[in-house]
Amino acid sequence: MSKRRRTSKHRRQPTKDSQIPKLMSAKTLCFVLIVTFFLSTFGTLVRVSESMPGNVYRIKETVGWQTIMYHHRKFMHMTSTFMDSLEHRDPVKEQSTATNVKKKIIRFEPIVQPAASVARNIISRYPDYSSLKVNTNDVHGIANASNSHIKITNSRICIDDNITVRIELRNGLDERMVTGGDFLRIWMKDDHSHSSVAGYVIDHMNGTYTGVVRAAWKGRATVKVSVGHTKEQVALYAQYFNKYGAFKYTNATFFSVHPNVKESTQCSSTHWQVEQRYRGYCNFTEKNYNISYFCGQPRYFDCEDWKQYGWDDVMYLDRREIHIMKAFSHALIDAIPIEIQAKRFPIPYPRLPCHLLEKHYTWTASVPVGYRHMGLWHSTQCSNHIARRTKAYINCLAARSTIFVGDSTTRQWFKHLVKILGIDLENQAFAKNDSRGWQKHIRAKSKRYAIKMEWMPHEHPFAGTPGSAISNLKSVQYRLDRIGANRTDIVVIHWFLHIARSCDHNAFREHVRKAKSAIVRLLERSPNVQIFIKGTHSHTYKNEYMPLEYIRRFVEQVLYEEFINLQNKVTYLEGWELTEAMENDNVHPSFHIVDQMVHNFMAFACKDIDGD
């Protein structure tokens, strides 16, 4: 019985996945591969000489065994790739698929513009950290600084060069990390010359990183790399926030007739957690100048009986979570000594005085914005022309009011200037460092020079001394709205650690927007007022639970985004690099660090004054 011929209509049509090119004959395939081999080998040995007329070809170099072997390997790779394409196999894809079947790995998106001094794109990673599963029973998979390696790739280092460091993170089992998301820091210092500078780190999302730090001075130096915070620490922080509504609470104290009979409840920027814990909540948003603030409903008092506030350090972390939050922070990977040589044509120092620098450059600067040399901080953007003399400071601030709104670090700036200027405080309890007195609105003045200075804490949440009166706190917008028209005041605004305890990026944005609207109104009636936003600062305090490497980035990003249309009118005072480079370890920086920060601020606030 003759077989029936299958027509094209009855032939099996190839599917989309099975559509493969028509295979060539063996002779044709061999010919193509041989020609490809010779072209790849000898094609690089000739070049067009642009200096010869008629584009005459000439031999670039003689054929050596190393060249033949290189192109042989290239030829074999091309052959393997070609055969794989015929068989529809993708070895890399198959290997990746097999790996993903074993374990689901969260791939973090790379940070755009890692050299930006003011962070701009960390908030998009928050969902990834929130969904990252942390095995608190086994910490061996966490990045381990002792097992990690760094290597400087520069063969020769001259002043103003970028020193590049290859970083390979390994875990507690000495296995290479295969994902990114950890926060590393790099800096360079020399104790002999009292010099230091901070750098930045590029995350390649595969367990390897590249650190970059500028050679800012000539001579000896030591490059240091550390694990600031691991992704597991940030994940626990984000998950804790999602569960409890705050990382650390503040508290509200209620009493009516007798102050000794009182009750305290926890407070947060969100109401749902305190409502569940206390079966009700007090909405103090209006009392907090229309910024969200809620406290648990007391059992024996009314919400109107709220009289005092303070910190609340109760944490709902277990022993293993606490170990992860504290044990893996700021662990040094290695410190490599180097020698920086002179350069024949070094980059000239900036000559533009800082007070003439366009304000938006303070928001868009790249790392480093400055460095310390011979004990003094030098800006890479502009020149600090103001003399380090009391008379120079007096000439700058005479007949003006300087207003600081923020926390205890802006209070440090206030006290530092008061001491330099030798002006009188109105409240002596402040001078004696009374635990509750420092949180009150404080003023200082000099009748001789018509200098007025004041400091006040910002709005809730504010982790003050328990028992502090609620009348102490006013919002930033409240204070700005009370500055009159046609003024020449200097205003310094700061949010960081108190906000970081209790607010995520969404809650913090509400604070900034309220203040921004007040700044717009102020500049309309007093265009000569100088507005400064004091940035974040680094500290490696061992008992700190919060992953500040992540927190400072979301604080900076919110500030950057909300002030995007005011960056030409508001100056950003970067502080993280200075404190990181100078290895600040305390919540409150030392006198020397504060002195450098204040003098840098004065360079932007004052005209060229030598103090003579």
Side-chain angles (χ1 to χ4, degrees), residues 14 34 128 132 165 207 232 290 304 340 404 422 460 492 558 590 612:
I34 293 173
D128 295 329
L132 180 65
V165 181
E232 288 79 8
N290 295 318
E304 290 73 18
I340 302 173
F404 295 92
H460 290 288
V492 181
V558 170
S590 66
D612 296 333

Side-chain angles (χ1 to χ4, degrees), residues 37 53 72 91 101 140 177 199 203 217 317 326 389 412 442 457 611:
F37 169 69
H72 173 68
V101 171
H140 293 94
M177 303 290 290
D203 187 350
W217 62 88
L317 293 170
K326 295 176 64 175
R389 300 188 182 97
Q412 284 185 287
I442 185 67

Side-chain angles (χ1 to χ4, degrees), residues 480-517:
L480 297 182
D481 285 338
R482 275 147 186 80
I483 299 176
N486 302 317
R487 302 284 298 179
T488 59
D489 298 350
I490 300 173
V491 181
V492 181
I493 305 170
H494 176 64
W495 304 274
F496 185 34
L497 291 178
H498 293 262
I499 297 295
R501 291 168 54 102
S502 304
C503 294
D504 61 5
H505 54 271
N506 293 317
F508 175 57
R509 196 179 296 272
E510 183 181 9
H511 291 255
V512 178
R513 286 179 175 174
K514 293 291 184 180
K516 177 187 173 182
S517 61

Side-chain angles (χ1 to χ4, degrees), residues 347-373:
I347 299 176
Y349 295 106
R351 296 182 178 180
L352 180 70
C354 290
H355 75 278
L356 295 179
L357 181 70
E358 294 185 26
K359 295 178 175 59
H360 69 89
Y361 286 122
T362 62
W363 293 89
T364 59
S366 298
V367 179
V369 298
Y371 62 95
R372 182 179 63 129
H373 186 53

Side-chain angles (χ1 to χ4, degrees), residues 42 44 98 127 130 154 183 193 205 208 311 355 361 391 412 417 423 448 495 574 576 578 585 603 606:
F42 296 104
T44 59
S130 300
N154 303 62
F183 291 91
S193 62
M205 303 300 147
T208 64
W311 62 64
H355 75 278
Y361 286 122
K391 188 175 181 181
Q412 284 185 287
L417 280 173
I423 59 180
R448 179 180 178 182
W495 304 274
E574 208 286 330
W576 186 272
L578 188 152
D585 62 349
C606 307

Side-chain angles (χ1 to χ4, degrees), residues 10 35 94 218 230 475 480 520 535 593:
H10 296 89
V35 171
E94 291 178 1
K218 174 189 172 184
T230 66
S475 71
L480 297 182
V520 172
I593 294 178

Side-chain angles (χ1 to χ4, degrees), residues 160-178:
D160 295 325
D161 286 349
N162 281 334
I163 303 171
T164 304
V165 181
R166 186 188 304 127
I167 308 168
E168 181 183 285
L169 276 190
R170 305 184 75 87
N171 59 24
L173 298 175
D174 202 18
E175 299 171 341
R176 176 180 163 180
M177 303 290 290
V178 296

